[in-house]
Amino acid sequence: MNHPPFNWRRVCVAAALTVSVSLGASLSWAAPPQASQASPLPDEATAQQALSRLPAWQSALQAHRAELARAQAASANPNDWTPSASWARRTVRRDPAELGRASEREWSVGVSRGLRLPGKADAAEGWGQRQRERAQAQLDLSWLELGRGLIQDTAEWLRASQQARLWEAHWRLQQEQHQAVSRRHQLGDAARQDVILLDAARAQAESQWLQARHQARVAEATWRSRYPDLSLPAWPEGAALVADAAPPESPPAAQEALASRLADHPAWRQAELHAQVLEAQARHAEAERRPDPTVGVQYGRDANGAERVWGVNVSWPIGGAARSRQAEAQAADALAARTALDGVRRQLQLDLARHSAEVALGHQAWRASAHAAAQTQAAAQALRKGQELGQVGVGEVLLMQRQLIEQQQVAAQAELDAWQARMRWALESGGLWAPPQVD
């Protein structure tokens, strides 16, 4: 009985279709798995400790203290106590006919201070309070920036280490194939051309692996330099970085979450409080158009102590054009900051909406790329089996394996992007790494 020739291309197509059907059914959203997966990020307490030791955070704390000191200075009375003292010797000729002159000693002491006009103290206190609130918002924003950096650095290391692992596995596969075909060539069962093709593929894979390993070492050195207290993040063995499926939020829920987060986002609070600080400063400058009077008391003795003098002195400067121009400049700065708030709000809304959308979009892209990688891997395995049986040429196998490593890299990048999108949204929405309490 004659059987039709075995067609390995049909086997590849069938295997790819089988994987496509099995994975395509899982592309629909399902409930998240109950078992929690290991995250490459540290836990809340460990992350807070590590970020709190960073030089950037220590610098932010010092800037925070400086801002608080400036707020106290703005609230305080700028007028200083001014003590004064005088001593004099007076020569008096009481009778023109007398040749001699009488000598008398006199002295006086006093103290004076500017007296704040009504309304200035309230304006100064409001200015200082807004500065204190802005200082806290700026500190929260600095903490958010450090969290963003930790997520980005984690992603950079995971990307470099995963690429190195993929290229190492590809290089080892090329070595195994080269050794197998070389033995077959020695036995006369394989052509010299196949050995040459595999030798070139092995050299290319080795070159790519060495480059990827170098980049991974650079990323590792960068991580250890920035976060000496944290261990290197690890890609979970045999598991995905993100849950296999996660239902996206419904549009109303997503809009409500965005609106809620916008109101208390550190970037928005810092921008809004900055405008309020400038407005309070403008009110203070307006009040300072009228200079404060200076009131003092004085006590002294004249005529060698025979006379005692008590007195009160008052001086009141007349404000000039400089005070008026300063008030106008502060008012213009406040108006500019208030006008710019609309642009800040729109940009922040756009950023938060993008971060929220990237969670679902990144998950879909990862599932699609993983689907394609699984199909390519099934086809590559089928072609290798056919090549071992002499039904498929080495060139076709090498081409498919090249496509496989490329698709695996795309899938790893997509998975990492999906993980990064989730972590970024958790951070931006206030659900990750709350800032520490600062005294």
Side-chain angles (χ1 to χ4, degrees):
M1 181 177 182
N2 295 329
H3 296 280
F6 197 75
N7 193 327
W8 281 102
R9 289 184 177 83
R10 292 183 179 178
V11 174
C12 295
V13 173
L17 288 176
T18 302
V19 175
S20 174
V21 172
S22 61
L23 292 180
S26 64
L27 284 177
S28 59
W29 295 107
Q34 297 298 326
S36 61
Q37 301 183 28
S39 172
L41 290 176
D43 57 69
E44 185 87 9
T46 305
Q48 282 192 349
Q49 293 177 1
L51 294 178
S52 297
R53 294 190 184 100
L54 292 179
W57 178 247
Q58 297 301 319
S59 177
L61 287 179
Q62 296 305 321
H64 177 69
R65 295 188 180 100
E67 190 67 17
L68 292 181
R70 281 189 287 267
Q72 293 177 349
S75 302
N77 189 344
N79 299 318
D80 299 324
W81 289 98
T82 305
S84 61
S86 66
W87 181 90
R89 182 174 182 178
R90 186 192 302 256
T91 302
V92 181
R93 180 180 292 176
R94 302 185 183 280
D95 189 347
E98 295 180 0
L99 296 178
R101 296 182 177 182
S103 178
E104 298 179 356
R105 293 183 298 276
E106 56 188 42
W107 57 268
S108 66
V109 293
V111 63
S112 62
R113 190 187 190 190
L115 183 64
R116 301 187 87 180
L117 295 177
K120 285 190 175 184
D122 293 339
E125 180 60 32
W127 181 19
Q129 180 61 27
R130 298 289 87 73
Q131 282 184 295
R132 286 187 285 271
E133 294 171 356
R134 183 184 63 178
Q136 183 59 48
Q138 181 60 50
L139 192 65
D140 293 343
L141 185 58
S142 299
W143 182 261
L144 180 63
E145 290 290 344
L146 293 179
R148 291 169 178 170
L150 178 56
I151 292 176
Q152 180 64 32
D153 291 338
T154 302
E156 290 296 331
W157 156 247
L158 290 175
R159 178 183 296 107
S161 61
Q162 186 70 355
Q163 295 297 328
R165 283 196 294 267
L166 289 174
W167 275 114
E168 181 181 10
H170 182 68
W171 170 64
R172 294 188 183 279
L173 176 62
Q174 297 298 328
Q175 278 189 314
E176 294 175 1
Q177 291 180 331
H178 182 270
Q179 293 173 358
V181 173
S182 296
R183 286 194 299 268
R184 290 177 56 188
H185 172 67
Q186 293 174 359
L187 298 175
D189 192 30
R192 176 62 180 169
Q193 181 180 1
D194 293 343
V195 178
I196 295 175
L197 288 175
L198 285 170
D199 190 56
R202 182 185 60 175
Q204 293 173 1
E206 184 178 11
S207 174
Q208 294 288 348
W209 172 53
L210 292 176
Q211 292 182 26
R213 187 179 64 176
H214 172 70
Q215 293 175 358
R217 289 177 176 176
V218 171
E220 178 182 355
T222 302
W223 173 274
R224 295 190 184 280
S225 175
R226 292 179 180 175
Y227 310 102
D229 301 326
L230 294 179
S231 58
L232 275 173
W235 197 293
E237 290 291 338
L241 280 175
V242 294
D244 183 60
E249 293 180 324
S250 61
Q255 292 298 327
E256 183 178 353
L258 288 175
S260 175
R261 182 52 180 164
L262 179 62
D264 60 357
H265 194 278
W268 170 251
R269 288 193 292 109
Q270 193 276 339
E272 186 177 31
L273 287 170
H274 178 67
Q276 293 181 10
V277 166
L278 293 182
E279 290 171 347
Q281 189 176 4
R283 288 191 293 270
H284 183 266
E286 181 64 27
E288 286 292 339
R289 283 176 180 262
R290 301 174 298 279
D292 292 331
T294 300
V295 179
V297 294
Q298 189 174 10
Y299 170 76
R301 288 191 177 188
D302 294 341
N304 293 328
E307 300 177 359
R308 296 183 180 183
V309 179
W310 292 88
V312 176
N313 55 72
V314 178
S315 62
W316 200 326
I318 299 175
R323 289 176 175 267
S324 298
R325 301 292 86 79
Q326 183 67 22
E328 292 175 3
Q330 295 291 347
D333 288 340
L335 182 59
R338 177 59 62 178
T339 304
L341 277 182
D342 186 53
V344 173
R345 185 181 185 87
R346 292 182 182 181
Q347 183 60 47
L348 186 56
Q349 283 178 328
L350 179 63
D351 292 340
L352 290 177
R354 176 170 53 83
H355 293 326
S356 178
E358 284 176 351
V359 175
L361 296 177
H363 189 94
Q364 292 176 347
W366 163 54
R367 293 297 298 151
S369 61
H371 174 212
Q375 283 185 303
T376 308
Q377 185 173 10
Q381 290 175 349
L383 285 178
R384 283 198 300 271
K385 185 65 175 178
Q387 186 262 330
E388 292 172 0
L389 298 177
Q391 300 293 329
V392 178
V394 172
E396 293 180 79
V397 174
L398 292 179
L399 177 61
M400 182 59 68
Q401 288 180 167
R402 183 70 182 187
Q403 293 175 356
L404 175 60
I405 183 62
E406 292 176 354
Q407 188 57 47
Q408 286 176 335
Q409 290 176 333
V410 171
Q413 181 63 50
E415 182 177 358
L416 187 59
D417 290 342
W419 172 85
Q420 192 172 359
R422 291 193 179 196
M423 295 301 101
R424 184 169 52 238
W425 172 245
L427 181 69
E428 296 292 340
S429 60
L432 185 65
W433 302 331
Q437 296 295 326
V438 178
D439 297 331

